[in-house]
Amino acid sequence: MAIRPIVTYPDKVLEQRCAPVEVVDDEIRKLLDDMAETMYAAPGIGLAAIQVGVAKRVVVIDIEDVEHSTGPMEFVNPEIVEREGEVWFEEGCLSVPGITEEVQRAARVTVRALDRNGKPFELKADGLLAVCCQHEFDHLEGVLFIDRISRLKRKMALRGYDPAAKYPTRAPAI
């Protein structure tokens, strides 16, 4: 496993729509392993492949406390097939270090994806996991959480933005 550099805003790479994974093979499994290592080192609770410069539809998430982690959840070609309710959540992002903002999301989602062996699965999520799935899957479409807030709030949030800043601890880095 290797820790990869995280791409930060305003890098145009983050605006790319990611390509579907055709075959879940050793290359994709290595990417999943590297992404998990990178996410934990950051530290964060989610990471999309585009955040390490790979335009593939691959995501890792681990919302458990680092001491109580059962390992990362891995999603290949994920899609949200159902959304319910509404919730406001303070989000941050490893690709927009130092910035947090309240974002409106669905309170519950149903996700379909492939696992690291190419086997399809479905997951129903709520709370932090639902928010994290939506945040990470947005990355696969070239959308950042700051794209989901008003232009005025974005302008104020990005005033003094430093891409080299470390992530603050008041909200989870998704």
Side-chain angles (χ1 to χ4, degrees):
M1 291 191 280
I3 296 173
R4 298 187 185 199
I6 296 175
V7 178
T8 56
Y9 175 84
D11 195 311
K12 296 294 185 192
V13 166
L14 296 169
E15 296 176 10
Q16 290 183 45
R17 187 166 192 278
C18 296
V21 171
E22 298 297 325
V23 177
V24 182
D25 56 14
D26 287 343
E27 181 181 329
I28 296 298
R29 285 186 280 277
K30 169 83 166 98
L31 175 62
L32 285 162
D33 292 343
D34 288 356
M35 288 171 57
E37 189 77 13
T38 302
M39 175 184 68
Y40 292 131
I45 61 171
L47 193 68
I50 196 65
Q51 292 179 272
V52 293
V54 179
K56 296 277 187 186
R57 299 184 78 76
V58 177
V59 166
V60 294
I61 294 173
D62 190 345
I63 62 168
E64 299 294 324
D65 181 290
V66 174
E67 294 177 12
H68 301 97
S69 175
T70 56
M73 300 176 74
E74 300 170 327
F75 301 85
V76 178
N77 296 337
E79 61 178 322
I80 295 175
V81 296
E82 188 175 332
R83 298 173 193 267
E84 297 176 47
E86 168 182 309
V87 65
W88 285 89
F89 198 89
E90 186 174 4
E91 295 183 26
C93 182
L94 294 173
S95 288
V96 192
I99 305 294
T100 61
E101 282 296 328
E102 290 271 322
V103 179
Q104 185 179 8
R105 301 281 187 183
R108 292 167 297 287
V109 295
T110 302
V111 174
R112 285 191 192 133
L114 302 176
D115 68 12
R116 73 182 292 117
N117 297 310
K119 181 180 175 194
F121 70 94
E122 188 169 287
L123 170 74
K124 292 187 181 295
D126 61 10
L128 178 58
L129 180 56
V131 169
C132 195
C133 285
Q134 292 168 85
H135 177 109
E136 294 307 331
F137 300 172
D138 269 358
H139 277 296
L140 304 179
E141 301 299 325
V143 176
L144 297 172
F145 83 101
I146 56 173
D147 297 327
R148 296 206 172 270
I149 61 177
S150 73
R151 285 181 23 201
L152 178 60
K153 282 180 83 173
R154 183 171 46 251
K155 183 178 180 181
M156 289 176 19
L158 292 173
R159 187 176 301 145
Y161 168 68
D162 176 5
K166 291 295 180 190
Y167 192 81
T169 56
R170 70 184 181 122
I174 301 176

